[in-house]
């Protein structure tokens, strides 16, 4: 950690390695985005993609890039960033690498809300998205209330969340058994987690929500770092613990729910992104910005792999993240067990 002092007497602390990692992740995100935009039935070279994004591409390229593929990539970036940031918040608050929205029930709660709208009300895309957000928020409120006992202890939050996830998964299964065939097929497509068919109508609501929540979370990064050291230390350093925890958890739940509403329950991005970012930066603290960038990079890279690795049979991105995330979860459990933390 280094300090930069200005002539006005201001002092800014920064970590050179973390700063370098953020720069490299930004470059990787831009490169992967350009390649993904050029990928499809009609391949577009990277140079033509860049020219089109700068406004000087051919008319056919402008339609394909700006109207068809750019919204999909932007949704992927926003969803991945929201999940990575949400995962970093929950893992820091719980002080547990398993404290991820898709492990402790919030993703399943959003799925219950969406399936309720699909199965019981046959709602459209906007209603399904709204149901996913409501389901995630209500699940967050219930888990927070059940985990509360003179504060929210990390392991209690994780245990309550895992129990809630099991119950909510059973509710999802029940809703699917009661659905008509068409609604059940639609629900299964949504539950897979996919970026197919995403357009500008999906971009703007998610972008607006992230524009409010991301600065709110980043402004409380220092307080979140104090919370990671324990409530007593945070109190001693002047942090209003419960109010800060409630604000951050609310923001994290909204980020996870809005990401689920936009792309379905894409699993394991929220679990892996903060851990990978922390291993790259090798710096203490939650690493919110690296986690967000890593989440966006993981999701669009997985979408790129899902389109290119299986020939003509493209997979929904949720299938690939679930496969790779499951392997990562097993590795994480073995590592934590060897370290004596579980």
């Amino acid at each position: 950690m280094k300090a930069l002092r200005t002539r006005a007497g201001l002092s800014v602390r920064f970590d050179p390695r973390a700063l370098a990692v953020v720069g490299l992740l930004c470059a990787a995100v831009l490169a992967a985005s350009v390649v993904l935009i050029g990928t499809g039935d009609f391949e577009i070279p990277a140079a033509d993609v860049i020219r089109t994004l700068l406004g000087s591409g051919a008319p056919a390229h402008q339609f394909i890039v700006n109207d068809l593929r750019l919204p999909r990539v932007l949704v992927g970036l926003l969803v991945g960033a929201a999940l990575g940031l949400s995962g970093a918040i929950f893992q820091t608050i719980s002080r547990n690498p398993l404290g991820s929205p898709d492990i402790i029930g919030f993703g399943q709660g959003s799925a219950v809300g969406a399936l309720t709208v699909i199965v019981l009300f046959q709602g459209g895309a906007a209603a399904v998205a709204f149901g996913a957000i409501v389901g995630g928020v209500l699940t967050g409120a219930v888990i927070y209330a059940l985990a509360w006992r003179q504060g929210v202890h990390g392991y209690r939050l994780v245990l309550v969340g895992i129990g809630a996830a099991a119950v909510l998964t059973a509710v999802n299964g029940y809703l699917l058994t009661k659905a008509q065939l068409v609604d059940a097929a639609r629900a299964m497509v949504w539950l897979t987690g996919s970026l197919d068919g995403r357009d500008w109508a999906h971009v703007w609501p998610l972008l607006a929500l992230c524009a409010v929540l991301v600065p709110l979370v980043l402004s409380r990064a220092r307080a979140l770092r104090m919370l990671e050291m324990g409530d007593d230390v945070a109190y001693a350093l002047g942090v209003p613990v419960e109010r800060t925890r409630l604000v951050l958890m609310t923001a994290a739940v909204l980020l996870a729910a809005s990401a689920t509403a936009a792309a379905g329950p894409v699993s394991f991005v929220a679990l892996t992104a903060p851990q990978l970012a922390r291993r790259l930066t090798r710096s203490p603290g939650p690493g919110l910005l690296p986690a967000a960038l890593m989440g966006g990079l993981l999701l669009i890279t997985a979408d790129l792999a899902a389109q290119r690795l299986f020939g003509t049979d493209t997979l929904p991105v949720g299938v690939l993240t679930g496969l790779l995330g499951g392997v990562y979860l097993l590795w994480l459990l073995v590592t934590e067990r060897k370290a004596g933390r579980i």
Side-chain angles (χ1 to χ4, degrees), residues 28-281:
V29 164
L30 291 175
S33 298
V34 169
V35 174
L36 181 56
I37 290 173
T39 298
D41 293 334
F42 184 81
E43 296 282 343
I44 302 177
D48 291 337
V49 171
I50 295 173
R51 276 194 290 268
T52 303
L53 291 175
L54 294 176
S56 60
H61 289 171
Q62 290 180 8
F63 171 73
I64 294 172
V65 171
N66 296 327
D67 294 340
L68 299 181
R69 296 181 183 173
L70 181 59
R72 175 190 180 120
V73 173
L74 290 177
V75 170
L77 289 174
L78 290 170
V79 167
L83 291 175
L85 196 57
S86 178
I89 294 171
F90 277 114
Q91 289 178 13
T92 303
I93 288 176
S94 65
R95 287 182 281 173
N96 191 320
L98 295 177
S100 170
D102 45 4
I103 299 294
I104 59 177
F106 298 107
Q108 290 82 353
S110 294
V112 168
L115 290 189
T116 300
V117 172
I118 293 173
V119 173
L120 300 183
F121 303 103
Q122 290 76 46
V128 171
F130 180 74
I133 293 176
V134 171
V137 171
L138 290 178
T139 301
V142 171
I143 291 176
Y144 186 87
L146 292 175
W148 170 269
R149 186 177 297 171
Q150 297 180 343
V152 178
H153 188 273
Y155 279 99
R156 187 160 61 240
L157 176 66
V158 171
L159 290 175
V160 170
I162 290 174
V167 173
L168 292 168
T169 300
V171 173
N172 286 334
Y174 173 78
L175 289 172
L176 286 174
T177 61
K178 293 299 181 181
Q180 299 294 325
L181 183 60
V182 174
D183 293 333
R186 181 184 171 200
M188 286 304 300
V189 171
W190 187 87
L191 284 172
T192 302
S194 175
L195 297 176
D196 292 342
R198 298 310 184 262
D199 56 22
W200 288 106
H202 296 89
V203 174
W204 298 121
L206 186 56
L207 181 61
L209 197 60
C210 288
V212 174
L213 294 177
V214 172
L216 174 67
V217 170
L218 294 179
S219 68
R220 286 165 169 76
R222 180 180 179 277
L224 183 61
R225 184 174 179 180
M226 299 301 105
L227 285 178
E228 191 175 25
M229 294 188 290
D231 289 0
D232 293 338
V233 174
Y235 273 122
L237 294 172
V239 177
V241 171
E242 291 307 324
R243 185 176 66 187
T244 300
R245 182 185 286 125
L246 182 59
V247 169
L248 287 170
M249 286 188 64
T250 301
V253 169
L254 286 173
L255 285 168
S258 60
T260 304
V266 180
S267 57
F268 291 114
V269 173
L271 175 71
T272 57
Q275 294 298 313
L276 293 177
R278 181 170 291 195
R279 282 168 169 77
L280 286 176
T281 59

Side-chain angles (χ1 to χ4, degrees), residues 6-24:
T6 66
R7 293 182 178 180
L10 297 177
S11 178
V12 178
R13 299 178 65 194
F14 67 96
D15 186 338
R17 182 184 177 92
L19 211 58
V21 168
V22 167
L24 290 174

